[in-house]
Amino acid sequence: DGGITQSPKYLFRKEGQNVTLSCEQNLNHDAMYWYRQDPGQGLRLIYYSQIVNDFQKGDIAEGYSVSREKKESFPLTVTSAQKNPTAFYLCASTTGQENSPLHFGNGTRLTVT
Amino acid sequence: SQKIEQNSEALNIQEGKTATLTCNYTNYSPAYLQWYRQDPGRGPVFLLLIRENEKEKRKERLKVTFDTTLKQSLFHITASQPADSATYLCASPPDSSASKIIFGSGTRLSIRP
């Protein structure tokens, strides 16, 4: 079955460490997205990529970095510069055509202590 | 700046009644609005899309309306069931580029038997 895989489901890190969240899709989608969700809040856009080797900052990109070396993969690095990294992180993809819906993975819950 | 707003208070209704959720947008005119369902600990799942030139869209027990005068979309679930309990999110592109998608904060719906 086609879909988006985020791993791991739960991730724990010590403050000051960088951590990379994985996102892989086999839907042959061109566009991929990273969102952050905090309790009781909606999704806030961190980074998005419309095509391989290109990506744009979203509304809350500070303290995060991404790469898009392959169409299927869009890893997100949470750096030590991110002041409040504990959150639920969601990756999504879409064909990139107008009106096309987002397909989401089941998220990674990151806890930094 | 462009904003999508949803009533952050939870909505509790009796099984069998119609649930109505609201999505308001400010400072832009979306080409379309999307509605998603999110269960706890999972990624959102796409439900319906409505374009700016459409007044209403239906899918089984779901109905979405789009009022460009009120800058509002309404999401209705008729004959609601406890299984409909979830958080519902609206989303849209904030500008004509359509590649960036922003979300409202979501409304948690609880259907009591």
Side-chain angles (χ1 to χ4, degrees):
Chain A
D1 287 337
I4 297 187
T5 301
Q6 290 187 245
S7 60
K9 179 73 174 171
Y10 299 95
L11 193 51
F12 298 88
R13 280 293 182 271
K14 293 287 188 188
E15 196 174 316
Q17 294 179 336
N18 291 355
V19 59
T20 297
L21 282 59
S22 169
C23 178
E24 303 278 331
Q25 56 101 355
N26 60 3
L27 298 167
N28 199 33
H29 284 169
D30 286 318
M32 296 186 75
Y33 299 75
W34 274 106
Y35 290 90
R36 169 184 173 136
Q37 188 173 34
D38 293 285
Q41 296 194 32
L43 279 62
R44 291 187 289 165
L45 182 62
I46 305 173
Y47 269 99
Y48 61 106
S49 166
Q50 294 175 265
I51 197 166
V52 175
N53 292 323
D54 188 42
F55 48 83
Q56 288 78 41
K57 292 182 180 180
D59 299 318
I60 55 165
E62 187 176 347
Y64 299 98
S65 66
V66 293
S67 63
R68 186 87 188 277
E69 296 176 2
K70 297 188 300 182
K71 187 175 185 178
E72 307 78 34
S73 178
F74 192 39
L76 173 75
T77 296
V78 184
T79 75
S80 56
Q82 168 50 233
K83 292 179 182 166
N84 295 298
T86 295
F88 188 48
Y89 290 88
L90 287 158
C91 178
S93 73
T94 181
T95 62
Q97 295 175 358
E98 192 177 358
N99 300 335
S100 58
L102 293 172
H103 296 254
F104 282 87
N106 278 324
T108 291
R109 189 168 299 279
L110 173 64
T111 303
V112 177
T113 58
Chain B
S1 62
Q2 301 93 341
K3 276 188 183 178
I4 294 187
E5 293 175 310
Q6 296 181 254
N7 187 349
S8 58
E9 290 184 17
L11 182 62
N12 298 295
I13 68 167
Q14 183 76 40
E15 181 177 7
K17 301 291 187 185
T18 296
T20 299
L21 287 67
T22 305
C23 176
N24 295 295
Y25 56 91
T26 55
N27 298 327
Y28 74 110
S29 297
Y32 62 87
L33 283 162
Q34 298 174 337
W35 282 88
Y36 292 80
R37 169 185 172 138
Q38 185 178 25
D39 291 290
R42 307 291 295 261
V45 175
F46 172 74
L47 295 173
L48 277 172
L49 177 149
I50 186 165
R51 296 177 181 81
E52 61 178 340
N53 60 351
E54 296 175 323
K55 291 253 191 282
E56 182 180 296
K57 210 64 171 294
R58 290 176 185 261
K59 179 182 175 183
E60 297 173 353
R61 293 184 296 111
L62 309 180
K63 183 178 86 171
V64 174
T65 62
F66 196 166
D67 189 326
T68 56
T69 302
L70 293 178
K71 293 184 178 292
Q72 181 180 84
S73 174
L74 298 179
F75 177 82
H76 306 272
I77 305 175
T78 59
S80 60
Q81 305 166 1
D84 295 325
S85 299
T87 295
Y88 292 85
L89 300 146
C90 64
S92 81
D95 54 45
S96 59
S97 70
S99 55
K100 181 178 174 181
I101 307 294
I102 61 173
F103 281 77
S105 57
T107 299
R108 192 168 68 201
L109 175 66
S110 293
I111 310 296
R112 59 181 186 276

